[in-house]
Amino acid sequence: MSPHTAPALRTGTWTVRSGRTTASFEVRNFGFNRVRGTIGVRAGTVEVHGDEVTAVRAELDLGTLGTRNPRRDADLRKPHLLDSGTRPDLTFVAAEVRRRDDGWEVTGELRLRGTSCPLTLTVEPAGGTRVRATGTLDRAPLGMRAPRPLIGRYVRIVVEAELEPPS
């Protein structure tokens, strides 16, 4: 296998090792600063049939959100933004997975706060059973109310996941 070829995956359900998987984000603040943070990954699965990925699902716990600034974290958890006290789950469900030479393009739906928006992730092998998924989320369709200069509209997402092969 060349370093630019997506690996063939064994048929079955691959599970995300939550303790060895990280989800991070980056968003502009006040137009020029960048705020970085993490959200805990509760669970995830990748379904493989033949040599094709047919389904991807991930669940994140918004209650674990951290930006290294407790005041900012408390503000982000409020009802007008993430509303994590009432709705702590953030889920991603793939609608389509396309193989690319160097990985996969996963298009799906991000569900948050009782609403959803489209999200496309580029997934690349990161060695062994690890993958790295990156994408950009437009927060506007999710109804998060915050002035754009305060919190940027687009959020960069990076997930570093370790997958457990099917038994």
Side-chain angles (χ1 to χ4, degrees):
M1 172 174 73
S2 83
H4 300 291
T5 302
L9 298 175
R10 187 171 37 174
T11 294
T13 301
W14 293 66
T15 55
V16 170
R17 292 182 172 168
S18 60
R20 301 178 103 183
T21 297
T22 60
S24 59
F25 63 90
E26 179 181 280
V27 64
R28 287 196 180 272
N29 178 322
F30 295 110
F32 56 90
N33 291 332
R34 292 185 189 271
V35 172
R36 292 174 180 85
T38 59
I39 300 173
V41 177
R42 182 179 299 132
T45 56
V46 177
E47 297 284 337
V48 178
H49 296 285
D51 65 347
E52 296 297 319
V53 175
T54 58
V56 176
R57 180 177 173 81
E59 298 174 17
L60 283 70
D61 180 0
L62 292 174
T64 64
L65 177 134
T67 64
R68 296 186 180 170
N69 180 322
R71 184 175 175 189
R72 179 187 303 128
D73 295 350
D75 286 344
L76 288 171
R77 290 183 179 113
K78 290 182 178 177
H80 69 286
L81 287 174
L82 294 175
D83 195 19
S84 63
T86 306
R87 299 177 174 153
D89 299 324
L90 180 152
T91 60
F92 175 77
V93 178
E96 180 179 9
V97 180
R98 284 189 231 138
R99 189 184 258 307
R100 298 177 359 160
D101 287 342
D102 59 346
W104 302 267
E105 182 178 88
V106 181
T107 302
E109 182 178 76
L110 185 81
R111 298 174 185 160
L112 171 70
R113 302 178 56 220
T115 189
S116 65
C117 69
L119 178 63
T120 298
L121 299 170
T122 300
V123 182
E124 300 171 334
T129 58
R130 295 193 63 77
V131 294
R132 177 182 170 96
T134 58
T136 301
L137 169 69
D138 179 354
R139 70 173 179 81
L142 294 171
M144 296 173 165
R145 295 183 313 264
R148 229 180 261 169
L150 183 60
I151 299 175
R153 178 174 176 173
Y154 299 99
V155 182
R156 176 134 171 88
I157 298 169
V158 177
V159 178
E160 299 272 354
E162 184 168 325
L163 302 175
E164 176 77 31
S167 350

